[in-house]
């Protein structure tokens, strides 16, 4: 092969030496120049990865190195090295617009798949494996936070409160694992006619929603929706 010109640094000073690099058979590299003359195994030399047209370097076992401008010559020098094939392949991909666009498209698809499918699957796995104590703590703390900011004590008559609690208990009686589900009645100007499901089996329903409903069947429909949230652990 044609000798390769480069700048040699011994790793001990900043002095630059102009050198010539050529390959000696079998599998040896020779470096000669201004007071420099040594041979080493090609397998002991590490060549930097190719990045556009930036300078490459050869790192030797003793800490010295050579900087070289001729990227093609470096590739030819290490053509038979085990890692050279991968480097040439990567450089081939990096310098072809079609491959770059394909990689960009695949990256976008991977990100989309992660957001749409990966994160929900991970969240579901975590939600269904949290300890019951953690579930209960999160629900109670969420309710405490809402009571301190958005919710007020219910103003419904005690008899109506009892009717609604009985209605909810009847709805959840046949659901496996729903023994701890309970309904909490609250007044709220901030969220108006509304209902929401919290971790640990809590369903909050506002006085405004109860007053808005024409009959209890409408409340049953809303509560069934919130129970679905509890069953699927959407709050978590």
């Amino acid at each position: 092969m044609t000798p390769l010109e480069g700048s040699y640094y011994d790793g001990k000073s900043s002095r630059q030496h102009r050198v010539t690099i050529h390959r000696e058979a079998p599998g040896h590299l020779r470096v000669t120049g201004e007071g420099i003359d040594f041979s080493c195994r090609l397998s002991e030399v590490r060549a930097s990865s190719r990045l556009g047209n930036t300078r490459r370097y050869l790192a030797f076992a003793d800490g010295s190195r050579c900087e070289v401008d001729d990227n093609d010559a470096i590739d030819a020098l290490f053509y038979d090295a085990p890692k050279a094939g991968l480097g040439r392949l990567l450089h081939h991909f990096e310098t072809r617009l079609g491959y770059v666009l394909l990689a960009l498209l695949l990256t976008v698809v991977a990100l989309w798949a992660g957001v749409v499918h990966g994160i929900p699957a991970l969240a579901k796995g975590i939600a269904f494996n949290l300890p019951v104590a953690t579930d209960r703590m999160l629900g109670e703390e969420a309710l405490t936070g809402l009571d301190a900011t958005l919710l007020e004590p219910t103003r419904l008559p005690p008899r109506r409160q009892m009717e609604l609690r009985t209605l909810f208990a009847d709805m959840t009686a046949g659901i496996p694992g729903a023994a701890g589900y309970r309904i909490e009645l609250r007044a709220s100007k901030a969220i108006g006619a509304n209902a929401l499901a919290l971790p640990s089996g809590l369903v909050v329903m506002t006085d405004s929603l109860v007053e808005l409903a024409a009959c209890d069947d409408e409340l049953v429909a809303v509560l069934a929706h919130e129970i679905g949230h509890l069953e699927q652990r959407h709050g978590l």
Side-chain angles (χ1 to χ4, degrees):
M1 61 168 287
T2 304
L4 180 62
E5 301 294 326
S7 299
Y8 176 83
Y9 299 89
D10 61 12
K12 300 174 183 178
S13 70
S14 60
R15 184 182 176 187
Q16 172 183 302
H17 304 264
R18 294 301 299 174
V19 295
T20 300
I21 307 164
H22 60 277
R23 190 169 178 176
E24 289 185 334
H28 281 70
L29 199 67
R30 191 169 192 85
V31 181
T32 58
E34 305 169 356
I36 307 297
D37 189 353
F38 67 89
S39 179
C40 62
R41 291 182 179 274
L42 191 61
S43 60
E44 297 175 348
V45 182
R46 181 170 59 88
S48 62
S49 300
R50 183 164 184 166
L51 182 61
N53 292 319
T54 58
R55 301 187 79 184
R56 305 276 290 282
Y57 67 82
L58 303 178
F60 301 101
D62 63 355
S64 61
R65 61 191 286 171
C66 277
E67 291 186 352
V68 182
D69 291 320
D70 194 338
N71 282 306
D72 293 334
I74 292 289
D75 290 340
L77 187 66
F78 289 87
Y79 185 83
D80 298 329
K83 296 182 180 180
L86 177 60
R88 289 195 302 273
L89 182 62
L90 291 176
H91 178 67
H92 177 75
F93 287 152
E94 292 169 349
T95 54
R96 301 298 189 279
L97 179 60
Y99 288 125
V100 172
L101 295 177
L102 176 61
L104 178 61
L105 176 62
L106 292 176
T107 301
V108 171
V109 170
L111 288 173
W112 173 84
V115 171
V116 175
H117 300 290
I119 293 177
L122 179 62
K124 186 174 182 179
I126 294 173
F128 278 89
N129 285 282
L130 280 177
V132 174
T134 301
D135 193 10
R136 186 180 300 111
M137 179 191 69
L138 291 173
E140 295 296 340
E141 289 188 355
L143 181 60
T144 300
L146 289 171
D147 281 340
T149 54
L150 301 177
L151 305 179
E152 302 172 4
T154 180
R155 299 185 181 88
L156 295 174
R159 180 177 179 179
R160 184 56 172 152
Q161 293 183 44
M162 182 60 67
E163 291 174 350
L164 294 171
R165 296 185 193 283
T166 301
L167 177 67
F168 185 79
D170 290 342
M171 291 180 65
T172 58
I175 301 176
Y181 290 4
R182 77 174 194 265
I183 187 172
E184 292 286 343
L185 301 169
R186 296 289 192 274
S188 178
K189 294 180 180 179
I191 64 175
N194 219 323
L196 58 151
L198 303 177
S200 76
L202 295 176
V203 172
V204 178
M205 187 162 64
T206 64
D207 294 355
S208 298
L209 181 62
V210 176
E211 295 164 356
L212 183 65
C215 63
D216 283 355
D217 285 346
E218 293 182 355
L219 296 178
V220 166
V222 174
L223 291 173
H225 176 85
E226 299 306 326
I227 291 171
H229 284 313
L230 296 179
E231 288 292 290
Q232 298 300 316
R233 303 176 76 85
H234 290 159
L236 293 173

